[in-house]
Amino acid sequence: MELRTERLFLRTVTEADVAVIRDLGRDEFKTDEDVLDWLRWVKEKNEEGRLIVNFYIWLAETNQCIGRVYIHSKPELDGEVEIGYGISGEYRNNGYVTEAAKAVVRFAFEQAGLDVLVAIVKPENVESRRVVEKLGFSECGIRMVPDENDQICEFDYFRLYRTENGKGRL
């Protein structure tokens, strides 16, 4: 699956992309087998009916993979579908994440048929908060959920609906 924007293309990955995934996720994946295990886990969860779609972000001009935007139903959020993203440090503050996430929001609403997306942001993560605000998400309080290290912590909780007053959001 592929999405295009003005400066980027986003696509889902396969086992052929192990090196790209591992390079981008150095902290998460120590070996190629770790990547393959993760890809198998994603496939298994989707087959069980849990929505998980990972779009990796490439610069159209250079074909360089610079990050990832994903949507996934999250059990810790009562099955709501969360959008999340990450980008390599040297590519931050160029609008790439917002541009890519906007394309994924469109995908979620127009192709995946979702009515609402949620986002959770650590209170100190000002850059991530800025992205969800630019996308039109509304802050809806605080949620206590596990972080990437399985530690329960406080996240600011945001929601974005497919339509507002009957008009499309994007």
Side-chain angles (χ1 to χ4, degrees):
M1 203 172 344
E2 191 171 296
L3 307 173
R4 293 203 170 264
T5 71
E6 184 179 326
R7 302 178 295 165
L8 310 169
F9 69 91
L10 294 77
R11 71 172 173 82
T12 55
V13 289
T14 67
E15 290 184 6
D17 297 303
V18 167
V20 169
I21 297 166
R22 187 170 170 208
D23 185 51
L24 203 60
R26 284 182 221 119
D27 296 334
E28 187 176 357
F29 305 116
K30 302 300 180 205
T31 67
D32 288 355
E33 192 58 36
D34 291 342
V35 174
L36 292 170
D37 286 345
W38 176 72
L39 288 169
R40 289 182 202 114
W41 178 86
V42 168
K43 183 178 183 211
E44 176 185 306
K45 294 302 174 192
N46 275 304
E47 288 170 353
E48 292 172 0
R50 182 173 168 192
L51 177 65
I52 303 174
V53 184
N54 291 282
F55 287 99
Y56 279 70
I57 307 165
W58 274 264
L59 291 174
E61 194 172 292
T62 64
N63 203 32
Q64 173 70 34
C65 184
I66 63 169
R68 173 175 75 124
V69 178
Y70 59 85
I71 57 173
H72 67 107
S73 57
K74 197 165 187 169
E76 303 87 358
L77 294 173
D78 301 322
E80 290 183 299
V81 178
E82 175 194 21
I83 188 169
Y85 35 80
I87 192 162
S88 296
E90 63 268 29
Y91 296 100
R92 292 184 182 153
N93 298 313
N94 290 296
Y96 294 132
V97 168
T98 302
E99 184 176 330
K102 191 174 199 177
V104 173
V105 166
R106 274 199 194 102
F107 166 83
F109 291 155
E110 296 172 7
Q111 294 177 28
L114 300 175
D115 291 322
V116 64
L117 281 173
V118 301
I120 56 172
V121 177
K122 289 184 177 177
E124 67 274 10
N125 191 339
V126 176
E127 293 85 5
S128 190
R129 171 182 283 279
R130 210 171 314 136
V131 170
V132 296
E133 288 172 347
K134 285 179 186 177
L135 293 171
F137 280 74
S138 298
E139 191 167 0
C140 298
I142 305 268
R143 295 294 290 265
M144 300 298 290
V145 295
D147 66 6
E148 63 277 1
N149 300 311
D150 281 332
Q151 300 294 315
I152 300 292
C153 62
E154 186 176 289
F155 285 85
D156 294 330
Y157 174 73
F158 298 83
R159 297 186 101 191
L160 178 67
Y161 294 90
R162 177 197 297 251
T163 60
E164 183 177 280
N165 300 325
K167 297 180 181 178
R169 295 288 296 182
L170 298 174

